[in-house]
Amino acid sequence: MKPTQKELTQWAIEQIQKKYKDDVALLIGISGHALEDDCHGECFDYFVPANENGNKLGQTFIIDGVGHDLYPRSWQRIENMANFDDDFTYGLADAIILYYRSEEDLKRFRAMQDKLRANLADKGFMLKKALEKLDAAMDIYRTMMFEERLCKVRMAAGFIARYLSVAVAGMNGSYFRQRLDLETVELAQMKEIPENFIPCFEGIVKAKSVDELRRYSHEIISTTRKFIAEHKQTSAPGDMKPDYEDLADWYEEGSLTWRRIYHHCDTHDYKRVFPDAINLQYELSIIQEEFGLKEMDLLGSFDVADLGTFKQRAAELERYIVSEIEGRGIVLNKYDTLEQFLAKNS
């Protein structure tokens, strides 16, 4: 431990012991956050307050040009880190415990570290978190497309690359440990990364225009989407298996949509076909995920000048859904006449 680091760490511990003995649970340091000689984050990074009064320990100051921030992270924020709802993963995973108030506080913190490691090893959990990061990146991209200032677009592209990097790292059961490095340094050492991900990231860093930034942002999102989709298809099923009785219920309710589509295709009324078509495509996308079905492209066949082909595609997908239901021994509640229905349900 360097002299400055040692002295500042001791100072922080003494402040806790003198003024906040009952109010601060832990003092945490980290590494890989500072320049060679400034020990920022190593003497301390954050503390965990035990109550509201403990927050008063926090302060910022500059010593010999080096800024220091002694700030609080609540137990809720620690749990967010363990659940990968806070990207400061290494701040928990690789935390250096400089001080703890009690064995109970230490045990609680260690339990959060164990939870983080367990989540990291859970491929299904990390896939879910990767999808969340992908959604966040796509939201930024949508906003970026309406921005013209280079500064704003470059910032947006940078965050897109960062969020997607976190997603890819998580799917590798890993996280970023060297905060001062560009993410590509650690990504290059990971087992699985999307095709051309690093060149796209580097393209964002080196881009000189708004158009370049938009193009590389689109490419890095596209390749990450494909990467995640491939892992979704090969991931092991969860503990909860889909109940195909629910799929049967969905079809019985939604079959009327197909009937309307067929009718309006026959009457060449595209203005009535289209609203049902987009709603049905949305529903098909949902049940594809829920029941592990094949991709069901309905709207790719939509053409106002050729509703006959669209009707044929809709019928193919309806038959596919019915075959998936009946293939599992489920009998649909179908009746040829009202008399049959009443006879069975009287």
Side-chain angles (χ1 to χ4, degrees):
M1 186 178 286
K2 301 168 187 175
T4 303
Q5 178 184 347
K6 182 177 181 181
E7 291 171 11
L8 276 175
T9 300
Q10 189 58 40
W11 168 83
I13 293 172
E14 288 175 358
Q15 290 292 304
I16 295 170
Q17 292 174 332
K18 288 178 181 178
K19 302 176 182 179
Y20 306 101
K21 188 175 182 181
D22 298 324
D23 306 318
V24 173
L26 299 109
L27 179 68
I28 303 298
I30 58 172
S31 61
H33 188 55
L35 297 176
E36 290 182 2
D37 299 318
D38 67 20
C39 76
H40 178 75
E42 296 175 357
C43 50
F44 50 73
D45 186 72
Y46 65 91
F47 63 92
V48 182
N51 52 46
E52 188 62 33
N53 194 56
N55 289 312
K56 295 178 182 178
L57 173 66
Q59 60 177 297
T60 57
F61 50 88
I62 301 172
I63 299 176
D64 192 23
V66 179
H68 297 278
D69 180 12
L70 179 58
Y71 71 98
R73 278 186 174 262
S74 66
W75 282 113
Q76 181 59 58
R77 292 184 73 184
I78 300 299
E79 185 159 3
N80 289 343
M81 294 160 76
N83 289 329
F84 290 84
D85 294 324
D86 183 319
D87 290 340
F88 188 34
T89 304
Y90 76 95
L92 174 61
D94 302 329
I96 303 166
I97 301 173
L98 303 171
Y99 164 88
Y100 57 93
R101 181 184 60 167
S102 67
E103 290 294 332
E104 182 180 351
D105 293 323
L106 179 62
K107 183 178 180 180
R108 184 177 181 182
F109 191 79
R110 294 294 193 204
M112 289 294 101
Q113 290 181 310
D114 290 342
K115 183 176 184 180
L116 182 150
R117 284 187 282 269
N119 284 335
L120 197 62
D122 185 337
K123 292 185 177 181
F125 180 88
M126 296 311 297
L127 174 60
K128 178 176 178 290
K129 291 300 173 181
L131 286 167
E132 291 175 5
K133 292 299 179 187
L134 175 60
D135 285 344
M138 292 178 69
D139 282 342
I140 295 173
Y141 180 77
R142 282 188 282 269
T143 302
M144 182 182 75
M145 293 303 292
F146 294 94
E147 181 59 67
E148 299 296 335
R149 289 169 292 178
L150 180 60
C151 170
K152 296 287 188 179
V153 175
R154 180 168 282 144
M155 178 178 65
F159 275 106
I160 287 170
R162 175 170 294 173
Y163 285 159
L164 297 180
S165 295
V166 170
V168 171
M171 293 183 68
N172 278 270
S174 188
Y175 56 91
F176 296 104
R177 294 171 170 85
Q178 298 298 324
R179 196 167 185 175
L180 298 184
D181 288 339
L182 192 66
E183 285 87 344
T184 53
V185 175
E186 293 184 67
L187 281 168
Q189 301 170 14
M190 294 181 187
K191 184 178 179 180
E192 293 185 279
I193 60 174
E195 184 179 4
N196 293 324
F197 189 92
I198 290 178
C200 287
F201 198 132
E202 293 285 349
I204 287 172
V205 175
K206 297 173 183 178
K208 298 181 183 298
S209 69
V210 167
D211 286 344
E212 280 186 286
L213 288 164
R214 286 176 176 163
R215 176 166 61 84
Y216 281 119
S217 295
H218 182 275
E219 289 179 13
I220 202 170
I221 288 172
S222 178
T223 191
T224 305
R225 287 186 70 194
K226 292 176 183 175
F227 176 77
I228 292 175
E230 289 168 359
H231 282 73
K232 284 171 66 177
Q233 293 169 5
T234 59
S235 61
D239 294 335
M240 295 295 292
K241 294 183 178 180
D243 185 346
Y244 281 85
E245 291 283 359
D246 292 338
L247 182 60
D249 291 341
W250 173 87
Y251 171 72
E252 288 163 359
E253 178 183 354
S255 62
L256 188 59
T257 303
W258 265 285
R259 179 178 174 82
R260 288 197 302 266
I261 286 174
Y262 297 151
H263 173 75
H264 295 307
C265 282
D266 289 341
T267 59
H268 307 287
D269 191 347
Y270 70 87
K271 293 182 179 179
R272 288 192 168 182
V273 173
F274 191 71
D276 272 334
I278 60 172
N279 288 334
L280 182 56
Q281 181 69 79
Y282 176 73
E283 293 285 338
L284 291 173
S285 298
I286 293 174
I287 64 167
Q288 175 191 338
E289 293 284 341
E290 289 186 0
F291 296 94
L293 303 176
K294 71 178 184 181
E295 183 177 358
M296 292 175 282
D297 180 351
L298 174 64
L299 286 176
S301 301
F302 184 82
D303 182 350
V304 296
D306 186 8
L307 292 179
T309 298
F310 180 72
K311 177 184 177 182
Q312 182 179 352
R313 178 57 177 160
E316 290 173 359
L317 292 177
E318 183 177 18
R319 288 194 295 270
Y320 169 65
I321 294 294
V322 172
S323 70
E324 287 293 312
I325 295 169
E326 295 181 340
R328 287 167 173 80
I330 298 170
V331 178
L332 290 166
N333 290 319
K334 294 198 301 183
Y335 307 90
D336 293 331
T337 65
L338 174 62
E339 288 75 18
Q340 287 181 356
F341 172 79
L342 293 175
K344 186 172 182 181
N345 292 278
S346 297

